[in-house]
Amino acid sequence: MSIFIRTFACMKKNISHTNPVTTIKALLHVVSLLSAPLLLTAAILMAACSSDDATDAPTPTNDNDSQEINVNTSVAGMITRATTYEGGTLTTGTFTCAAYNAGTTDYYIVPTTMTYDIDHWTFDGSSRYWPLPTSNDGSWPALDFFTYMPEVVPNYITDVDGVAGSVTYVARNPQFKCTLPMTYSSEALTGNQGSNLQEFILAMATNQTKETNSGTVNMEFKHPFTRIKLQLSASHPDITINSITFKSLKSGGTCSFAYNDSESQWKSTWSSLTPSDGITDFVVTLTGSDAIFNSNPSSPRQIGTDYIMVPQDFTGAIEVNATWIDWGEEYEHKVSTNIDSQAWAAGTSYTYTFTITKNDLTVDTSKYTEQW
């Protein structure tokens, strides 16, 4: 820069001794000298920014369909209700998919919305392609795929730093924290479990190449949470159930999703459950027609909806507030019972069947424990 300043100073000093043409040429020369380093600096900055940004998978110049990445999806377990995902092959809805260079956190495909088109999943309506062989032996580079549903992470999920609606991706080990709402009201539209609380599921597939399954990536979504179902036993009389309370539960924790070698499957492992003293109650409140159970001698009836819980060892009491009609008079009372310790596992559904009398509550947990 000092050279440019001295040039401009010399020109200014002798400007009165030169003709106008010479002066203009000198000015243009200085401008060109000043511009050169600025343009070079801008180019360097643009290159630096480009290297920091996540880049998506390149499209081959020959648009060879044989290199296209195909994705098949399924959900582990059984068919569930609207707020949770159905078992079996997925062909509806949307989810997010990302691919990483195998064993790293370096994107090969940035997180992309997957949509179903006629008979296959697409990357936001378009295609992505496998990386071409780069080594002398012609082997295909491997990729790790991470997917989750719903497409947008629910706000009750946070990454390990506490950012809501986000998941932390450690190589081949997604992690997240959560705090679940611990109420259900048949009237409430927000802020509780039920139709507004969408389940979160996730899947991993590692070391995938063009040669693996003929270029098809099979993603099996897993349930990281426990599902709880409540039902009233058969042969019950007319009864109104006002509320059901599960005492002393954990409402949150940290989930690590990783491959379990001994079981040969991807599993969710939970730690740091909150609150540490276990004083949170889960309360189901029923109103209106949702609370009324007319005499039903033939089969159990579900109470409320499906509920998702943090996997944990549940040892506590269940309390029911119910109203009976006896000789034309309504009597409201509470009955409760203590539950033997039960380990709620991730990806497992537990059904609690209630037999309610005026003076007693019996809860049957021996049936309907199944993979979810």
Side-chain angles (χ1 to χ4, degrees), residues 22 48 51 65 76-77 110 193 249 270 297 345 371-372:
T22 302
S51 65
D65 286 342
V110 298
Q193 298 229 15
L249 292 177
W270 288 83
Q371 181 186 6
W372 177 23

Side-chain angles (χ1 to χ4, degrees), residues 275-349:
S276 58
D277 56 3
I279 60 172
T280 300
D281 293 342
F282 174 62
V283 181
V284 174
T285 303
L286 303 174
T287 56
S289 60
D290 294 317
I292 298 173
F293 295 82
N294 295 321
S295 178
N296 180 15
S298 59
S299 61
R301 287 184 54 192
Q302 183 163 2
I303 302 171
T305 185
D306 293 348
Y307 313 102
I308 58 174
M309 297 290 170
V310 171
Q312 59 191 280
D313 291 334
F314 171 55
T315 303
I318 298 179
E319 180 182 87
V320 175
N321 181 301
T323 300
W324 296 79
I325 298 178
D326 190 8
W327 296 95
E329 296 290 333
E330 288 190 357
Y331 297 92
E332 181 177 335
H333 62 283
K334 293 180 180 180
V335 288
S336 64
T337 188
N338 291 318
I339 298 295
D340 293 335
S341 179
Q342 188 172 33
W344 290 350
T348 305
S349 178

Side-chain angles (χ1 to χ4, degrees), residues 11 66 87 108 112 136 140 171 187 232 237 247 261 295 298 314 316:
M11 183 197 72
S66 67
Y108 178 75
T112 303
N136 294 331
W140 293 81
E187 287 187 331
L232 188 60
K247 299 284 189 177
D261 290 320
S295 178
S298 59
F314 171 55

Side-chain angles (χ1 to χ4, degrees), residues 27 85 91 135 138 140 148 175 199 201 239 255 316 354:
L27 284 169
Y85 290 104
T91 57
S135 58
W140 293 81
Y148 56 79
Q175 301 171 18
E199 181 199 9
I201 56 178
I239 187 174
C255 178
F354 294 84

Side-chain angles (χ1 to χ4, degrees), residues 71 95-98 145-149 201-204 219 221:
V71 177
F95 62 92
T96 293
C97 177
F145 287 81
F146 172 48
T147 57
Y148 56 79
M149 293 184 76
I201 56 178
L202 67 172
M204 281 289 306
M219 306 297 298
F221 286 95

Side-chain angles (χ1 to χ4, degrees), residues 76 220 222-223 256-270 345-348 371:
E220 183 183 42
K222 298 282 190 174
H223 303 274
S256 174
F257 188 66
Y259 191 76
N260 186 300
D261 290 320
S262 62
E263 299 183 25
S264 300
Q265 64 173 324
W266 290 89
K267 291 192 67 174
S268 297
T269 302
W270 288 83
T348 305
Q371 181 186 6

